[in-house]
Amino acid sequence: EIVLTQSPATLSLSPGERATLSCRPSQSVSSYLAWYQQKPGQAPRLLIYDASNRASGIPARFSGSGSGTDFTLTISSLEPEDFAVYYCQQRRTWPLTFGGGTKVEIK
Amino acid sequence: QLQLQESGPGLVKPSETLSLTCTVSGGSISSLYFWAWIRQPPGKGLEWIGSIHYNGNTYYNSSLQSRVTISVDTSKNQFSLRLTSVTAADTAVYYCARPHDTMPNVAGAFHMWGQGTMVTVSS
C-alpha cells in the first residue's frame, strides 16, 4: 500500500498570501496524484488530477506540480473561500490511498 | 448532469451489518468506470473502502476486505456497500463517488460525489 504523507498538517496564512502544500508518496506514483478541497459539512471537491490538470471550474490560482514521490499544490493568492482542508490521493495502484490532509486556516 | 445519492440506515448496532446504496441518476452505471465507496470518520480524513466496475470487478481496502462487499445492480442503476460486524470505529460519513470522465476502466480520481450519509454504530 502506498502511504501519502502531507505537510504541514496546518498552514496559517492571510488572504492574499501564497499557499504551498506538500504530498509525498512512500513510493513512486508517476503522475497519478490528485488534490481535493473539503469544507465542513461538504463532500470533497476535485481540484487537480494527474498531478497538474485542473478539474473543470477550478480557478487558475490553484496549480499542481510534481511527479514520482514529491508533489505540490499551490494556491497563488488565497481567497476567503480557500480556507479549508486539502487532501491528496494516488491512483497509481490499488488500493487507492489518501493523505492525512492539510488544513489551511486564517492567520 | 450525473448525480449520486447515498441511502440507508443512519444507525446500526454493533456486530450488525451496515448496508448502503448509491443511486446514480443522469447517467448509466454501465458506463466504463470504477464506482467507489469512501468514508470519513468524524473529524478525521478520507478512507477509500473499495471500487466496483459494472462488469463486477472489485477492489477493496485491505484493512476492510474481510468484512466488505460492494455489488452493482445495473437494472436499478445502483451500487451497494455491505460492511459486516461493525464497531464504533465504523462510525463515519459514507460517500459514493465516480472517477473523472477521462478515467474509464482504471483506478480514478473522484470527480463526482454524493452528498454523503452519516452512519453511527451504537447500541
Side-chain angles (χ1 to χ4, degrees):
Chain A
E1 171 175 319
I2 297 176
V3 176
L4 304 181
T5 301
Q6 290 190 242
S7 61
T10 304
L11 198 51
S12 298
L13 295 168
S14 300
E17 290 195 292
R18 183 183 188 89
T20 303
L21 287 68
S22 174
C23 179
R24 289 199 165 90
S26 59
Q27 62 191 82
S28 176
V29 298
S30 186
S31 63
Y32 298 118
L33 191 102
W35 291 95
Y36 300 85
Q37 177 194 69
Q38 188 179 32
K39 297 178 182 179
Q42 296 184 13
R45 177 173 70 145
L46 179 66
L47 300 175
I48 302 287
Y49 63 94
D50 293 351
S52 61
N53 298 288
R54 269 191 305 276
S56 58
I58 302 303
R61 64 181 181 274
F62 291 93
S63 63
S65 62
S67 66
T69 59
D70 191 2
F71 295 85
T72 300
L73 173 70
T74 301
I75 311 171
S76 59
S77 177
L78 282 163
E79 296 288 338
E81 61 268 27
D82 298 337
F83 292 92
V85 180
Y86 294 82
Y87 295 96
C88 57
Q89 176 236 327
Q90 67 81 21
R91 69 179 191 93
R92 174 63 180 85
T93 61
W94 304 100
L96 306 183
T97 49
F98 288 90
T102 290
K103 182 179 182 180
V104 179
E105 65 176 22
I106 300 176
K107 187 174 181 180
Chain B
Q1 175 77 359
L2 188 77
Q3 291 188 320
L4 291 79
Q5 179 68 57
E6 305 89 351
S7 60
L11 181 64
V12 182
K13 290 183 169 53
S15 79
E16 295 191 345
T17 297
L18 179 160
S19 295
L20 296 175
T21 296
C22 181
T23 300
V24 178
S25 58
S28 173
I29 201 165
S30 299
S31 56
L32 304 175
Y33 297 99
F34 275 94
W35 304 84
W37 286 100
I38 295 159
R39 71 180 183 178
Q40 186 171 37
K44 296 188 177 180
L46 300 166
E47 179 181 35
W48 174 76
I49 298 170
S51 295
I52 187 166
H53 197 270
Y54 86 97
N55 64 12
N57 284 352
T58 53
Y59 293 91
Y60 297 128
N61 185 320
S62 54
S63 68
L64 299 170
Q65 184 151 11
S66 63
R67 299 194 291 129
V68 68
T69 303
I70 298 176
S71 58
V72 64
D73 186 337
T74 55
S75 67
K76 295 182 179 179
N77 226 34
Q78 296 175 335
F79 65 106
S80 298
L81 169 69
R82 190 169 175 270
L83 184 65
T84 62
S85 304
V86 297
T87 70
D90 296 309
T91 294
V93 175
Y94 286 76
Y95 296 100
C96 56
R98 199 211 79 175
H100 191 272
D101 289 350
T102 59
M103 301 170 188
N105 294 315
V106 297
F110 300 105
H111 196 200
M112 307 301 300
W113 294 72
Q115 66 185 24
T117 188
M118 180 69 200
V119 178
T120 301
V121 178
S122 175
S123 56

